[in-house]
């Protein structure tokens, strides 16, 4: 009997990270949930879940935590973290040696800045000016290593979209402002890519509508 794939989730205590953990468990996967404080991972203990404390600024701790995972997905955010947290996390994820890395980015930053349009760029600059360089550097680190970066539009706490799909950046709809998407839909798109990669080395955009 073949063992279920093991997914390592970086940033497992965050809003997207906890959904990555719960959805992966719902799919019957083995999960290693990684957070700076493992006690803050809000998912009940169970047989297929291992919670591990690791700090992205200590790459060795992430490498040890990821272990023999088949894929690493990251819901890592920057709130409350020191400068350079995302870049450090991306470097640690790549250094882990895990074959598939799926990284959460933001639509309107880096390679998606121009397609998102000038108004979105202006809003993001006002909201995230201190984190933008870190986000772009983290994306570049993952893409250069052949991983997938998921650029999501404004995220909400809504349900998983029944008509969801994921498209390459070149096929993302052009709008004045990017379409919103639920965190549940983003998490599902990231797990889809981790299990069956279609966008390696590229940016992918999760959409709520077909």
């Amino acid at each position: 009997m073949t063992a279920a794939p093991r997914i390592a989730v970086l940033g497992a205590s965050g809003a997207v990270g906890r959904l990555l953990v719960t959805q992966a468990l719902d799919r019957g996967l083995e999960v290693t949930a990684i957070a700076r404080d493992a006690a803050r991972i809000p998912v009940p203990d169970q047989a297929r879940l291992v919670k591990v404390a690791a700090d992205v600024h200590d790459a060795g701790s992430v490498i040890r935590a990821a272990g023999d995972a088949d894929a690493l997905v990251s819901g890592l955010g920057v709130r409350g973290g020191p400068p350079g947290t995302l870049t450090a996390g991306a470097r640690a994820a790549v250094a882990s040696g895990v074959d598939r890395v799926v990284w959460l980015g933001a639509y309107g930053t880096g390679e998606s800045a121009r397609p998102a349009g000038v108004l979105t760029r202006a809003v993001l600059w006002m909201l995230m000016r201190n984190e933008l360089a870190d986000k772009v550097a983290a994306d570049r680190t993952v893409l250069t290593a052949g991983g997938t970066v998921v650029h999501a539009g404004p995220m909400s706490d809504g349900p998983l979209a029944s008509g969801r799909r994921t498209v390459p950046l070149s096929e993302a709809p052009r709008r004045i402002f990017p379409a919103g998407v639920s965190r549940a839909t983003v998490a599902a798109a990231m797990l889809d890519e981790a299990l069956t990669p279609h966008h390696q080395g590229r940016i992918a955009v999760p959409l709520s509508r077909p």
Side-chain angles (χ1 to χ4, degrees), residues 141-155:
T141 297
V142 173
L143 292 170
T144 300
T148 303
V149 175
V150 173
H151 272 200
M155 292 189 288

Side-chain angles (χ1 to χ4, degrees), residues 60-179:
S61 69
V62 175
I63 293 169
R64 291 188 295 273
D68 58 352
D70 299 290
L72 184 152
V73 294
S74 173
L76 192 66
V78 294
R79 289 183 180 177
T85 293
L86 292 177
T87 304
R91 289 172 177 166
V94 168
S96 72
V98 175
D99 287 340
R100 300 173 188 172
V101 174
V102 183
W103 189 263
L104 178 61
Y107 192 79
T109 66
E111 290 187 21
S112 67
R114 185 175 294 277
V118 65
L119 290 179
T120 296
R121 293 198 300 272
V123 169
L124 289 175
W125 172 252
M126 287 188 293
L127 295 176
M128 302 167 52
R129 67 180 69 186
N130 295 326
E131 293 85 30
L132 278 176
D134 192 22
K135 277 187 171 291
V136 172
D139 285 3
R140 188 180 303 116
T141 297
V142 173
L143 292 170
T144 300
T148 303
V149 175
V150 173
H151 272 200
M155 292 189 288
S156 69
D157 291 326
L160 179 64
S162 59
R164 67 183 181 85
R165 64 189 175 112
T166 302
V167 300
L169 177 59
S170 60
E171 296 178 19
R174 302 299 176 92
R175 300 163 49 102
I176 295 177
F177 288 106

Side-chain angles (χ1 to χ4, degrees), residues 34-36 53-62 92:
I34 306 169
R36 187 166 51 181
D55 188 334
V56 297
H57 292 279
D58 174 8
S61 69
V62 175

